[in-house]
Amino acid sequence: MAWDWATAAAWMFIIGSFCFVAAGLYNALNIHHDRSNDGKYFYELTPYNVSVATLFCGIFGTVLFVVGSFYFRPGGVIQCDDGKIGRWCHCSTFTGAWCFIIGSILFVAQSVLGLLSAVITHRSLNIAFDESSADEDADSTVTCDRE
């Protein structure tokens, strides 16, 4: 096997895809669960639940990118014996392309869920700020004594 630019590029893409997996694992370490914001049910839109769904999309999207990268290695293209794509025999670039497409859809879902998490967090912070402002206004009544 001769080492050429296409092989080097394919392996660089595979290494880069593994770096995305490492980034997803790092994001998993940064999620903390604040039980004070929990809803009654696990499917409620709390920032934690949305962050877990975001992480799920990111991790599985990157895993599909790693798998898809392996399918596109030069010399790694699999063809059927008869040259046709049969029921159980697919060209490796066909399978790799679907891995990239599904991974890309998961990345879009990750972005939408991240935006949703930010909106939910922003709304909950505004509600908490409004309630604390109302408490401060009630406690700090100003009295003026005129002589």
Side-chain angles (χ1 to χ4, degrees):
M1 178 175 107
W3 187 261
D4 58 353
W5 287 106
T7 305
W11 280 103
M12 295 279 280
F13 202 84
I14 291 168
I15 292 168
S17 297
F18 272 117
C19 290
F20 276 121
V21 172
L25 294 175
Y26 181 74
N27 285 337
L29 294 174
N30 287 329
I31 291 182
H32 70 282
H33 191 176
D34 182 13
R35 295 194 184 275
S36 65
N37 290 333
D38 274 357
K40 187 174 180 182
Y41 303 103
F42 74 94
Y43 53 82
E44 288 188 37
L45 287 177
T46 62
Y48 174 77
N49 290 344
V50 176
S51 295
V52 169
T54 302
L55 183 66
F56 174 83
C57 290
I59 291 289
F60 282 103
T62 57
V63 167
L64 285 172
F65 262 64
V66 169
V67 171
S69 298
F70 273 104
Y71 279 119
F72 278 99
R73 288 175 310 167
V77 176
I78 301 169
Q79 290 286 348
C80 296
D81 293 334
D82 57 0
K84 293 189 284 184
I85 297 177
R87 181 174 177 198
W88 295 104
C89 183
H90 293 288
C91 178
S92 63
T93 54
F94 175 81
T95 307
W98 274 105
C99 287
F100 284 132
I101 290 169
I102 295 169
S104 297
I105 291 169
L106 288 172
F107 285 147
V108 170
Q110 177 188 17
S111 299
V112 170
L113 288 170
L115 178 64
L116 179 65
S117 178
V119 168
I120 292 170
T121 303
H122 179 71
R123 285 187 179 172
S124 66
L125 290 176
N126 279 345
I127 290 170
F129 180 74
D130 290 342
E131 288 174 358
S132 67
S133 296
D135 291 341
E136 288 176 6
D137 290 342
D139 293 339
S140 62
T141 56
V142 178
T143 56
C144 296
D145 292 331
R146 293 190 178 196
E147 296 179 17

